[in-house]
């Protein structure tokens, strides 16, 4: 037998199913679980990452591997084994499951001691010890693990975890350390698990293996076919009736869609309530029609000098609204910003979706010149702007003789709340055509709102997971367009009440 086959045989001989509808039965590993074990042990492996949706027996699989290294053929004398989780409750889940497996197996119960209060398993004959750790406890510096399970690493926000780094660097003292990462996906590309998955999928380190089960975001999220792509054990371990109910619920209530996409479809979606769901945004993804003779409204968000400057123009076209976004960013440092933000700015520049200005910061003279060219053949009625840094751009407009219908637009609840309501209404009614512009789509995916005590909403850059400049500009454009339309209707009524 190969090493992997030997380990499979040991698990099936000595481990019992601790929970669920098959509780008490000896483990019979699935075809996919056997494949994962062979990948880990029959090829040189330093890190194995397994990401799939919840309720696919991730924790049970982790428990099998822990026992394999505690008292099985992978056990190294006097070795330290750990599982790491972000909270005490999460840390308890894996320990409790492994402890149940020990208690249910006469052979394992005879050689492994359980210390519930310390969340430890010990095999005195081999000197091996497993302990569950959490990020809420003191750090793991000073340990020397040969085997680590990073449980639900997707809960780590941002690219760093002190507990993860402490355990990984501590493993350097071992000859053949092994780390197992098992988790549903993190919300954003910038989170630690996403960074690890993306790096593993490049294949740059052959000792880092990654198995990722996720449903493509372009697929219909509510079909069984799509669900199965993120759930390798859909027909075996999962309550399929309940999963289908959750899909129907998420389809009815957009507020539930983000959580559904993350937990059931294993997609990178922030479960905090986004301003607009992916399905709603995609439902407005038709290409905008060419400019017509109708008035055009715009929103301009300058942002910081090294971030994105956004101009969004909109125009009524029958019952629909055409949306044309334009973005600028400094040419210098483009690749560094693409890496830091984890979005393909360089590719978008190449494809023409993102414009660059010379230098290290956004060149407002360059932007002013290009805005003049963009609006030269359209009837721009109003260009609404965020007051931040606008004086610099106004000077550039004046220097080239460009007279624009500029109007300030407050970023507080007073001005933003009605704009957000109007934008949401148009999106929910599928009346916008934004063409799935990738930079604007990124901004839409990052956009979140905050509320005041009265329930009024505004876009919140501080709570966003990434750039939202394009959505701020779109909200300003449509907010003023709707206000102008309402004013015109009132004027029409006063001048000609019968016709109005």
């Amino acid at each position: 037998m190969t090493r992997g086959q030997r380990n499979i045989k040991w698990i099936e001989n000595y481990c019992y199913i601790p929970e669920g509808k098959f509780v008490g039965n000896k483990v019979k590993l699935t075809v996919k679980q056997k494949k994962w074990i062979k990948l880990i042990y029959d090829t040189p492996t330093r890190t194995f990452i397994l990401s799939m949706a919840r309720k696919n027996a991730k924790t049970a699989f982790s428990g099998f591997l822990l026992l394999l290294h505690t008292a099985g053929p992978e056990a190294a004398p006097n070795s330290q084994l750990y599982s790491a989780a972000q909270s005490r409750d999460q840390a308890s889940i894996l320990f409790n499951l492994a402890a149940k497996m020990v208690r249910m197996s006469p052979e394992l119960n005879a050689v492994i001691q359980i210390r519930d209060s310390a969340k430890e398993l010990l095999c005195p004959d081999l000197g091996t010890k497993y302990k569950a750790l959490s990020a809420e406890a003191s750090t793991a510096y000073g340990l020397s693990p040969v085997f680590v399970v990073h449980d639900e690493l997707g809960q780590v926000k941002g690219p760093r975890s002190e507990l993860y780094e402490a355990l990984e660097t501590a493993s350097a003292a071992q000859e053949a350390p092994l780390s197992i990462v098992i988790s549903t996906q993190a919300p954003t590309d910038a989170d630690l698990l996403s960074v690890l998955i993306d790096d593993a999928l490049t294949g740059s380190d052959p000792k880092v293996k990654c198995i990722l089960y996720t449903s493509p975001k372009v697929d219909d999220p509510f079909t069984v076919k799509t669900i199965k792509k993120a759930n390798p054990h859909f027909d075996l371990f999962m309550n399929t009736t309940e999963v289908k109910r959750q899909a129907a619920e998420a389809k009815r209530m957009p507020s539930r869609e983000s959580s559904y996409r993350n937990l059931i479809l294993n997609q990178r979606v922030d479960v905090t309530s986004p301003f607009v769901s992916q399905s709603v945004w995609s439902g407005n993804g038709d290409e905008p029609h060419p400019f017509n003779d109708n008035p055009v409204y715009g929103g301009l968000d300058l942002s910081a000098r090294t971030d994105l400057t956004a101009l969004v123009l909109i125009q009524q076209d029958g019952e629909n609204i055409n949306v044309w976004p334009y973005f600028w960013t400094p040419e210098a440092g483009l690749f560094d910003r693409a890496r830091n933000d984890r979005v393909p700015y360089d590719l978008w520049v190449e494809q023409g979706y993102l414009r660059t200005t010379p230098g290290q910061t956004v060149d407002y003279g360059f932007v002013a010149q290009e805005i003049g060219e963009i609006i030269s053949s359209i009837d721009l009625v109003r260009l609404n702007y965020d007051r931040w840094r606008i004086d610099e751009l106004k000077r550039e407009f004046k220097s080239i003789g460009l007279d624009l219908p500029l109007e300030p637009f407050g970023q507080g609840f007073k001005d933003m709340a009605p704009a957000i309501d109007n934008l949401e209404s148009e999106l929910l009614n599928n009346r916008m055509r934004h063409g799935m512009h990738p930079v604007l789509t990124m901004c839409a995916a990052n956009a979140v709102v905050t509320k005041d005590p009265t329930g009024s909403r505004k876009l919140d850059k501080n709570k966003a997971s990434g750039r939202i400049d394009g959505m701020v500009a779109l909200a300003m454009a449509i907010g003023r367009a709707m206000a102008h339309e309402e004013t015109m209707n009132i004027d029409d009524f006063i001048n000609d009440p019968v016709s109005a």
Side-chain angles (χ1 to χ4, degrees):
M1 290 187 295
T2 67
R3 183 182 173 194
Q5 290 171 333
R6 177 202 65 184
N7 292 340
I8 290 169
K9 183 178 179 180
W10 186 89
I11 291 171
E12 293 188 335
N13 282 343
Y14 298 111
C15 293
Y16 290 76
I17 299 174
E19 294 177 349
K21 58 183 177 181
F22 302 115
V23 63
N25 294 338
K26 270 194 172 183
V27 169
K28 181 66 177 176
L29 294 170
T30 69
V31 172
K32 290 184 174 62
Q33 288 173 332
K34 291 178 181 179
K35 177 183 176 182
W36 304 334
I37 290 175
K38 291 176 182 177
L39 181 61
I40 296 170
Y41 297 104
D42 287 343
T43 62
T45 303
R46 170 61 182 87
T47 303
F48 177 73
I49 303 171
L50 175 62
S51 180
M52 52 188 172
R54 64 195 303 264
K55 300 303 178 183
N56 278 275
K58 294 194 301 294
T59 307
F61 184 71
S62 302
F64 301 152
L65 299 185
L66 276 171
L67 296 178
L68 190 66
H69 286 260
T70 303
E74 291 296 327
N78 302 318
S79 58
Q80 300 177 17
L81 321 171
Y82 296 97
S83 64
Q86 295 309 296
S87 67
R88 291 187 179 90
D89 290 341
Q90 185 66 40
S92 298
I93 293 174
L94 179 53
F95 166 78
N96 290 336
L97 206 64
K100 288 179 182 179
M101 294 178 187
V102 172
R103 291 188 172 101
M104 296 176 72
S105 170
E107 296 85 358
L108 296 181
N109 197 36
V111 298
I112 296 178
Q113 297 177 3
I114 302 172
R115 296 180 177 176
D116 290 295
S117 59
K119 294 185 175 58
E120 293 179 350
L121 301 179
L122 294 93
C123 181
D125 292 344
L126 295 173
T128 56
K129 183 175 79 169
Y130 154 66
K131 183 175 179 62
L133 302 175
S134 77
E136 297 173 357
S138 58
T139 60
Y141 295 108
L143 305 180
S144 184
V146 69
F147 178 83
V148 178
V149 173
H150 296 282
D151 190 26
E152 292 299 346
L153 196 64
Q155 295 177 2
V156 173
K157 295 182 179 180
R160 295 193 59 192
S161 162
E162 186 176 5
L163 179 59
Y164 174 83
E165 292 175 1
L167 289 170
E168 290 301 294
T169 54
S171 299
Q174 300 295 333
E175 182 179 354
L178 176 62
S179 295
I180 306 294
V181 178
I182 299 186
S183 179
T184 53
Q185 289 218 75
T188 75
D189 290 341
D191 294 323
L192 175 59
L193 178 61
S194 301
V195 174
L196 296 176
I197 288 176
D198 290 347
D199 179 69
L201 292 177
T202 66
S204 56
D205 186 347
K207 290 187 177 182
V208 178
K209 316 290 174 54
C210 180
I211 301 294
L212 173 63
Y213 294 95
T214 181
S215 302
K217 293 183 178 180
V218 296
D219 289 359
D220 183 343
F222 308 113
T223 66
V224 171
K225 181 180 179 181
T226 299
I227 294 171
K228 285 185 174 181
K229 294 179 181 180
N231 296 274
H233 296 132
F234 178 77
D235 295 311
L236 185 58
F237 298 142
M238 302 185 74
N239 182 337
T240 57
T241 301
E242 176 63 16
V243 174
K244 292 174 184 176
R245 186 195 67 79
Q246 293 177 21
E249 187 177 71
K251 188 174 183 178
R252 292 195 313 272
M253 296 183 287
S255 62
R256 303 297 298 273
E257 184 176 335
S258 295
S259 177
Y260 167 79
R261 282 182 176 271
N262 181 241
L263 300 177
I264 304 299
L265 302 185
N266 198 31
Q267 296 176 347
R268 291 181 191 175
V269 179
D270 197 336
V271 296
T272 58
S273 298
F275 169 59
V276 56
S277 68
Q278 292 179 11
S279 59
V280 170
W281 184 256
S282 299
N284 291 265
D286 289 346
E287 289 294 325
H289 292 181
F291 285 108
N292 54 44
D293 295 332
N294 291 336
V296 176
Y297 298 87
L300 181 62
D301 185 62
L302 299 183
S303 191
R305 295 293 293 266
T306 57
D307 294 335
L308 297 179
T309 288
L311 168 69
V312 177
L313 303 176
I314 66 170
Q315 185 182 53
Q316 193 77 34
D317 186 11
E319 294 184 353
N320 297 305
I321 297 175
N322 293 318
V323 179
W324 297 275
Y326 305 88
F327 295 89
W328 291 266
T329 193
E331 184 176 20
L334 180 68
F335 292 100
D336 290 337
R337 292 196 302 280
R339 184 177 62 250
N340 292 337
D341 289 358
R342 302 193 62 75
V343 289
Y345 292 140
D346 50 335
L347 176 62
W348 291 340
V349 169
E350 183 180 326
Q351 294 173 336
Y353 295 112
L354 178 61
R355 301 167 180 232
T356 58
T357 69
Q360 297 281 346
T361 61
V362 172
D363 184 334
Y364 287 143
F366 189 91
V367 172
Q369 191 71 42
E370 291 208 334
I371 289 178
E373 295 172 2
I374 291 169
I375 67 168
S376 61
S377 60
I378 62 175
D379 180 19
L380 182 62
V381 173
R382 190 78 65 203
L383 180 57
N384 309 294
Y385 61 84
D386 177 2
R387 295 178 179 87
W388 194 73
R389 287 190 180 274
I390 193 63
D391 290 340
E392 297 178 53
L393 187 59
K394 283 182 175 180
R395 284 194 293 270
E396 298 296 342
F397 285 147
K398 185 176 181 180
S399 69
I400 61 174
L402 188 60
D403 185 19
L404 297 178
L406 295 170
E407 183 173 327
F409 195 99
Q411 302 300 296
F413 291 106
K414 179 182 177 182
D415 287 341
M416 267 295 177
I420 291 298
D421 291 343
N422 290 333
L423 177 54
E424 182 180 58
S425 176
E426 298 303 314
L427 288 168
L428 291 175
N429 287 290
N430 292 340
R431 287 199 289 256
M432 306 198 81
R433 300 192 190 111
H434 53 65
M436 296 300 292
H437 188 287
V439 189
L440 184 61
T441 297
M442 173 198 69
C443 294
N446 293 334
V448 294
V449 295
T450 187
K451 296 181 180 179
D452 70 2
T454 68
S456 297
R457 299 175 298 168
K458 68 174 183 177
L459 294 173
D460 193 329
K461 289 188 176 183
N462 293 327
K463 291 185 177 181
S465 57
R467 312 294 181 197
I468 67 169
D469 312 275
M471 287 300 286
V472 172
L474 177 58
M476 288 192 289
I478 199 164
R480 192 62 68 194
M482 292 297 183
H484 182 74
E485 182 179 327
E486 291 172 3
T487 302
M488 291 297 292
N489 290 338
I490 293 173
D491 291 342
D492 289 344
F493 182 82
I494 293 173
N495 296 329
D496 189 356
V498 176
S499 298

